[in-house]
Amino acid sequence: MTRSQRKARTTEAGQSEMALESLVGYNLKRAYVVLQSDYRSVMGDHGLSPRVFSALTFVVETPNLTQSDLARRLGIERSGLVAIVDELEGRGYLRRVAVPQDRRIQALSPTEAGVQAYEVALELVHDHENRVLHMLNTEEREQLVHLLKKIREKGE
Amino acid sequence: MTRSQRKARTTEAGQSEMALESLVGYNLKRAYVVLQSDYRSVMGDHGLSPRVFSALTFVVETPNLTQSDLARRLGIERSGLVAIVDELEGRGYLRRVAVPQDRRIQALSPTEAGVQAYEVALELVHDHENRVLHMLNTEEREQLVHLLKKIREKGE
DNA sequence: TATTGTTATACTCTATAACTATA
DNA sequence: TATAGTTATAGAGTATAACAATA
């Protein structure tokens, strides 16, 4: 394959296509932006941001989670997690609980309000995904998640 | 489907799976982060950032492109484009060319160095994608691009 | 009046480095 | 020495609002 052939591909309709169009990274970014902006419009201005929602999910579903654990699972630095935990605590969705065995640690314990907020938010997120992904059927969505997960697992 | 069934799915191995794991948005974000960080490590600190590379691609492949056109195609604001065009001009990869017919417009014209830098960068990006996506075969990559493009097209 | 390019400004997300209190 | 949580700080990336020049 020559350089020019690689650069200018041809679509089924016979139109020339930019090299960008066939790159995974470019399409991944653009699709990510589409989902992100629809997410914001569904969750609203005082709703949980994607990262705070993810954090709440881990807190609700993982007993005795520490902040370092959570940061590792979210793939961010411990320092960046502080603001996220502050927000969830400020909303009354979790408590920082002292651990007698190791006084450096503060376990993250969801409150009843936190569990309920999680349930409600999950419904909203499902609504959002159903709306923004209406052009993909169930099989295509599962295929997409499967492919994305493969990328994620090797990259960790 | 009840709320608890939707929340805690079961994998083939019989382990319970967090609701997060089946969300497209969550997996999209994580895969995006994996690609982004590999991109940086391949392109280096003084290499073109993803958005600058995308901008250069449009400039090289689209004759008589204006800044407003380019901003629209990249999906960002005109104001945000100024720094990108400044960088490309500073590297000597394009020129802002006055258009006699409409003196508000500055057409973006790639230089010879810009075209060459684009060719080199495209090779690097292909190397990067081949490396970071080694766990996907050609068919899977095309499938992924196809699915992502469907999301992008409806979201515009 | 509307549009192009531009500046100023602010906000979100994230990383690095350094601190404290524990271990 | 090493780790958990924290603070301060800085750098991308992006958006909004306002402006001058031009249409």
Side-chain angles (χ1 to χ4, degrees):
Chain A
M1 191 187 244
T2 68
R3 184 167 282 186
S4 64
Q5 279 175 324
R6 196 185 302 110
K7 192 174 80 179
R9 299 204 178 165
T10 302
T11 64
E12 283 162 18
Q15 296 167 312
S16 85
E17 190 182 41
M18 283 204 312
L20 226 41
E21 293 291 324
S22 64
L23 291 177
V24 173
Y26 179 73
N27 286 286
L28 198 58
K29 167 74 175 287
R30 298 299 296 255
Y32 170 63
V33 169
V34 170
L35 257 79
Q36 206 183 25
S37 103
D38 188 82
Y39 178 97
R40 305 264 177 205
S41 76
V42 168
M43 302 297 277
D45 278 346
H46 12 271
L48 299 175
S49 67
R51 66 193 194 141
V52 174
F53 170 69
S54 297
L56 180 58
T57 301
F58 278 107
V59 171
V60 167
E61 300 197 359
T62 316
N64 302 318
L65 189 67
T66 70
Q67 285 189 211
S68 293
D69 281 341
L70 182 50
R72 214 171 299 119
R73 293 187 198 223
L74 290 173
I76 63 175
E77 293 297 313
R78 280 172 302 147
S79 61
L81 194 68
V82 176
I84 296 172
V85 174
D86 283 349
E87 177 178 338
L88 287 171
E89 194 175 40
R91 285 172 182 262
Y93 294 168
L94 63 78
R95 273 187 288 267
R96 286 168 159 107
V97 179
V99 177
Q101 293 82 359
D102 186 338
R103 295 191 0 244
R104 292 173 301 183
I105 293 174
Q106 307 220 254
L108 302 174
S109 176
T111 62
E112 188 51 44
V115 174
Q116 282 174 23
Y118 163 67
E119 301 278 358
V120 171
L122 185 56
E123 294 288 325
L124 285 176
V125 170
H126 279 132
D127 291 347
H128 139 68
E129 293 219 338
N130 286 333
R131 196 176 78 177
V132 75
L133 299 173
H134 66 275
M135 77 296 286
L136 302 182
N137 61 35
T138 305
E139 192 191 339
E140 288 175 316
R141 284 187 218 183
E142 284 173 359
Q143 219 163 39
L144 179 56
V145 168
H146 172 70
L147 293 169
L148 294 172
K149 216 174 275 190
K150 279 179 95 166
I151 296 174
R152 178 152 80 79
E153 278 157 12
K154 295 285 179 174
E156 271 166 3
Chain B
M1 191 188 243
T2 69
R3 184 167 282 185
S4 63
Q5 279 174 325
R6 196 185 299 112
K7 192 173 79 181
R9 298 203 178 165
T10 302
T11 64
E12 282 161 19
Q15 294 167 313
S16 86
E17 189 183 44
M18 283 204 312
L20 227 41
E21 293 291 325
S22 64
L23 291 177
V24 174
Y26 179 72
N27 286 285
L28 198 59
K29 166 74 174 286
R30 297 299 296 255
Y32 170 63
V33 168
V34 170
L35 258 80
Q36 206 181 26
S37 104
D38 187 84
Y39 177 98
R40 305 264 177 205
S41 76
V42 168
M43 302 297 277
D45 278 346
H46 15 269
L48 299 175
S49 67
R51 64 190 197 143
V52 174
F53 170 70
S54 296
L56 180 58
T57 301
F58 278 107
V59 170
V60 167
E61 300 196 1
T62 317
N64 301 317
L65 189 67
T66 70
Q67 287 189 211
S68 293
D69 281 342
L70 181 52
R72 214 171 299 121
R73 292 186 199 223
L74 289 173
I76 63 174
E77 291 297 312
R78 280 173 301 147
S79 61
L81 194 68
V82 176
I84 296 172
V85 173
D86 282 350
E87 178 179 337
L88 288 171
E89 194 175 39
R91 285 172 182 261
Y93 293 168
L94 64 76
R95 273 188 287 267
R96 287 168 157 109
V97 179
V99 176
Q101 294 82 358
D102 186 339
R103 297 195 356 247
R104 292 173 302 183
I105 294 173
Q106 307 220 255
L108 301 175
S109 175
T111 62
E112 188 52 43
V115 173
Q116 281 174 23
Y118 163 67
E119 302 276 359
V120 171
L122 185 56
E123 295 288 327
L124 285 175
V125 171
H126 278 132
D127 291 346
H128 140 68
E129 293 220 340
N130 285 334
R131 196 175 81 176
V132 75
L133 299 173
H134 66 275
M135 76 296 286
L136 301 182
N137 61 35
T138 305
E139 191 191 339
E140 288 174 316
R141 284 188 218 182
E142 283 172 0
Q143 217 163 40
L144 179 54
V145 168
H146 172 70
L147 293 169
L148 294 172
K149 215 175 277 191
K150 279 180 97 165
I151 296 173
R152 179 152 79 78
E153 278 157 11
K154 294 286 180 173
E156 274 166 2

